[in-house]
Amino acid sequence: MKITAILTGIAMSLLLLVSIPSVSAELFGDANEDTEINMQDVTKVERMILEFDPETTSADANKDTNINMQDVTYIELIILERYPFPGGSLDAVMIFGPKDNTLDTAYKWTGWYVRKAGIYETLFKYNGEMELTPELATGHTQVSDTVWDIHLREGVKFHDGNPLNADAVVYSIGQVMDESNSRSSEYEHIASITTVDDYTVRITTTDPYAPMIASLTDPLVSMVSPDATDLASDPVGTGPFMYDHNEFGASLSLVRNPDYWGGGVKLEDVTLTYVSDSTTRAAMLESGDADMARGIPYPQVSTIEGDLDLDVVSKETMRAYFMFVNTEKAPLDDVRVRQAINYAINRGEVVDVALEGVGGVSSKGVFPSIFPWTNDELAGYPHDQATALSLLADAGITDSDNDGVLELSTGEDFSLNIMTYTSRAAMQPSVEVIASQLEDIGIDVTIELTGSSAIKAAMVDGTYDMAFYSYGVAPSGDPDYYLTAHFDSTAGYKENGWTRYLNAEVDSLLASARMEMDLDTRKDYYDQATEVIVEESPEMFIFHEKELVGYNTKVIGYEIYPNEITFLTKNMYIGR
């Protein structure tokens, strides 16, 4: 191959708080040193005062160098969220950050970054098990096939003190629906959005639209304060963290929201640093320059796990690694050729070799096994070189001169150029293994390592063969998000244009699924559609990512969300 580039009564007066110092990064109040602050710590301090147990430094909750009943009161106030949790400061190194010098959640995909930072929230969200739950809403009522009433949570305030109410919701979603917004087409299903009362919003859709509630989980429609004067440089949301300052392309700093509607926020402040190189991210974690690092390189997992102060958490996600295929370019315009390439790829080997057995799960189709909408009947493409060669022969591609390289019917060598980028740790090693597997059956492969902008330009122009890419296939928790954008030739999304794929049956199935409110019937439509898609292979699905996050074990309360929308939460803190 060739490579080009988370009681008691209060015994003493609240006046004691006057002399209490500010919180610190140490978990003072954790008297029994189990990295939690709860009633066991109250009991522990009381035992120390009675001289039943030896004193510990962390039992001095108010940091006055004495362990007494003031510490008991202090701990009780922390438990009751009457006093801030001494959660410390977190430094996390991320893969990607806000682009184009803006923090406006309604601008392109900036909402993903500021949602991860805990600044913004949406009306609904998905939890760590990909279950749809209310967030700033308390629920919804489907009035008819095209009318939905959204019931809002009362008592929520934006960081600037303004209330979250129906007017704010109409404003927030309205700015995305404005035709000047580059992603407004994604909300063309909304005909109107109006207030019913202070805490009820009515959304009317142009047609029956089953993914309506799911579409309100996208960070693009995060709730923003209508009084914010410059959301691009001073974001104002409702989340557990508030914007402090940032350096575009480098970092984003946050402080906790002391009035968060969801309860006390444990971390005091956070700095997110953006580093595209995975090795550098891992090095920052290992050196202590970062407390957490997302997307660590696979060879570093064992090293990090071997450090007593560090560990790695992993979880299968909704992110697929796949090939865009130019279905209009010979010989890839022949479905037999695309299927042959799929059979030639040993997905298990890609996971074992390129991902060191820890970074992914082999794909059989568009969606991972953890997703309720997955078509469990799909067999996918098991590795089968004989079938691959037979399909190629049927398409007129054989090694006619016995030189080990397959030739097209025109006599030219069968060569493929695979474009990819390197900002995600899995890209280059995975495509190298794939290229080797294709060469094993006689396909001459060139790997082109370049930027995503160059790849997109080639896909728009139709000058590419294949492009190895990574997308979240259901961040909104609904299969329509990905399937329509990529495979509905009538929808007008760029991804479908990149593959030039057209199938009237798939278009019809996806259109029917979008309008169908019965979940079982909807799933049947999607199962049928994904069966055709996998068979015709305009995209080739290789594996679904297991996110790897390296962290210092002093970090408590972190959870991976499979849709990758949530990172910082109110429950995280530094535990020692």
Side-chain angles (χ1 to χ4, degrees):
M1 77 186 76
K2 297 179 284 294
I3 303 178
T4 59
I6 221 182
L7 292 180
T8 70
I10 298 172
M12 303 182 70
S13 171
L14 296 180
L15 293 175
L16 291 172
L17 292 178
V18 173
S19 62
I20 292 176
S22 62
V23 293
S24 74
E26 299 291 338
L27 197 59
F28 288 97
D30 179 23
N32 63 1
E33 299 183 336
D34 66 351
T35 73
E36 296 182 7
I37 297 179
N38 51 35
M39 290 307 298
Q40 292 182 25
D41 296 298
V42 171
T43 300
K44 190 70 172 178
V45 173
E46 290 171 341
R47 290 180 62 84
M48 291 177 186
I49 295 170
L50 295 171
E51 299 183 353
F52 291 160
D53 290 342
E55 295 183 354
T56 62
T57 301
S58 58
D60 183 17
N62 65 359
K63 296 176 62 180
D64 65 354
T65 72
N66 294 309
I67 296 177
N68 50 37
M69 288 304 296
Q70 291 189 22
D71 297 301
V72 170
T73 299
Y74 195 100
I75 295 171
E76 289 175 333
L77 291 170
I78 292 175
I79 295 169
L80 293 170
E81 298 184 356
R82 299 283 295 277
Y83 199 73
F85 192 93
S89 302
L90 176 74
D91 289 293
V93 58
M94 314 291 279
I95 307 172
F96 303 110
K99 298 176 175 63
D100 299 333
N101 293 337
T102 182
L103 298 172
D104 186 352
T105 183
Y107 177 78
K108 294 185 178 179
W109 282 266
T110 303
W112 285 66
Y113 308 122
V114 286
R115 168 69 192 225
K116 283 186 175 74
I119 297 174
Y120 285 109
E121 297 173 308
T122 48
L123 296 173
F124 298 87
K125 69 171 184 177
Y126 283 87
N127 62 19
E129 305 306 317
M130 285 302 293
E131 297 167 329
L132 181 63
T133 59
E135 189 167 48
L136 295 178
T138 59
H140 72 276
T141 300
Q142 187 173 354
V143 180
S144 70
D145 279 354
T146 59
V147 178
W148 307 72
D149 283 355
I150 313 300
H151 312 293
L152 306 181
R153 193 178 299 278
E154 299 186 28
V156 178
K157 291 184 178 181
F158 289 102
H159 299 155
D160 60 6
N162 284 310
L164 172 79
N165 54 26
D167 287 336
V169 173
V170 171
Y171 172 81
S172 299
I173 298 178
Q175 66 172 351
V176 175
M177 293 171 57
D178 191 288
E179 62 181 11
S180 66
N181 190 296
S182 66
R183 292 181 62 190
S184 61
S185 63
E186 298 177 38
Y187 287 83
E188 286 180 345
H189 57 271
I190 298 181
S192 66
I193 176 170
T194 58
T195 63
V196 177
D197 55 44
D198 285 350
Y199 293 99
T200 307
V201 170
R202 174 161 291 179
I203 296 177
T204 302
T205 59
T206 56
D207 296 293
Y209 188 70
M212 180 62 246
I213 300 303
S215 74
L216 300 177
T217 68
D218 193 310
L220 180 67
V221 287
S222 296
M223 296 298 104
V224 302
S225 173
D227 287 348
T229 57
D230 188 1
L231 291 170
S233 63
D234 189 13
V236 184
T238 62
F241 294 94
M242 304 189 300
Y243 172 76
D244 187 48
H245 66 274
N246 79 295
E247 181 180 344
F248 284 110
S251 63
L252 174 60
S253 295
L254 312 141
V255 295
R256 69 170 151 210
N257 177 0
D259 300 312
Y260 182 53
W261 65 267
V265 180
K266 293 185 175 180
L267 280 168
E268 300 169 53
D269 54 76
V270 180
T271 298
L272 302 178
T273 303
Y274 303 105
V275 176
S276 61
D277 183 73
S278 61
T279 302
T280 302
R281 293 194 298 269
M284 292 175 67
L285 175 68
E286 293 174 50
S287 67
D289 290 329
D291 303 310
M292 300 182 70
R294 292 191 68 212
I296 60 174
Y298 311 113
Q300 292 300 107
V301 171
S302 59
T303 300
I304 293 171
E305 290 181 331
D307 188 318
L308 294 179
D309 291 328
L310 304 178
D311 206 348
V312 177
V313 60
S314 68
K315 191 172 187 177
E316 189 175 356
T317 70
M318 304 302 297
R319 177 165 295 277
Y321 284 71
F322 64 98
M323 295 278 195
F324 282 112
V325 183
N326 187 347
T327 65
E328 285 188 348
K329 186 174 184 180
L332 297 172
D333 56 345
D334 191 321
V335 68
R336 293 170 297 184
V337 175
R338 302 196 298 269
Q339 291 172 340
I341 293 171
N342 254 326
Y343 278 116
I345 296 172
N346 187 336
R347 289 157 174 79
E349 186 176 60
V350 175
V351 170
D352 289 341
V353 176
L355 312 184
E356 309 246 348
V358 298
V361 178
S362 298
S363 298
K364 292 183 178 180
V366 183
F367 302 119
S369 61
I370 61 171
F371 192 45
W373 295 92
T374 297
N375 183 348
D376 295 323
E377 301 302 315
L378 289 174
Y381 287 90
H383 182 226
D384 190 332
Q385 291 182 328
T387 298
L389 288 168
S390 177
L391 284 164
L392 289 170
D394 288 346
I397 301 174
T398 61
D399 182 8
S400 58
D401 58 6
N402 296 314
D403 66 350
V405 179
L406 296 169
E407 286 85 38
L408 305 177
S409 59
T410 60
E412 299 173 89
D413 287 349
F414 182 15
S415 61
L416 287 175
N417 177 269
I418 304 178
M419 305 179 77
T420 195
Y421 51 97
T422 60
S423 54
R424 291 188 180 274
M427 304 308 291
Q428 182 173 348
S430 297
V431 78
E432 289 175 354
V433 173
I434 292 168
S436 177
Q437 293 169 350
L438 297 181
E439 289 185 338
D440 283 346
I441 66 165
I443 302 175
D444 183 32
V445 180
T446 297
I447 298 173
E448 184 176 352
L449 303 178
T450 186
S452 59
S453 296
I455 300 173
K456 291 174 183 177
M459 291 193 290
V460 168
D461 293 340
T463 56
Y464 81 112
D465 294 335
M466 303 173 73
F468 188 52
Y469 242 81
S470 176
Y471 267 54
V473 293
S476 72
D478 193 279
D480 180 72
Y481 182 97
Y482 188 92
L483 295 178
T484 291
H486 288 244
F487 307 111
D488 187 339
S489 65
T490 70
Y493 286 94
K494 60 183 182 294
E495 287 86 358
N496 179 261
W498 292 343
T499 62
R500 280 79 173 159
Y501 178 63
L502 190 157
N503 184 295
E505 180 186 6
V506 170
D507 293 346
S508 177
L509 287 166
L510 296 180
S512 296
R514 282 193 296 273
M515 300 178 69
E516 179 56 60
M517 302 299 169
D518 180 82
L519 294 180
D520 291 337
T521 305
R522 272 196 89 202
K523 186 176 188 305
D524 183 61
Y525 285 135
Y526 287 129
D527 284 353
Q528 293 180 59
T530 52
E531 183 177 358
V532 175
I533 289 164
V534 170
E535 179 182 357
E536 298 197 337
S537 303
E539 294 180 11
M540 301 179 184
F541 298 91
I542 312 303
F543 62 88
H544 289 93
E545 183 176 64
K546 288 183 70 175
E547 182 172 5
L548 300 172
V549 179
Y551 69 101
N552 191 298
T553 55
K554 67 184 180 181
V555 178
I556 308 297
Y558 173 68
E559 179 183 8
I560 292 177
Y561 285 69
N563 62 352
E564 303 179 276
I565 288 176
T566 301
F567 180 71
L568 293 178
T569 69
K570 76 181 189 70
N571 297 320
M572 295 170 64
Y573 63 97
I574 303 300
R576 59 179 174 85

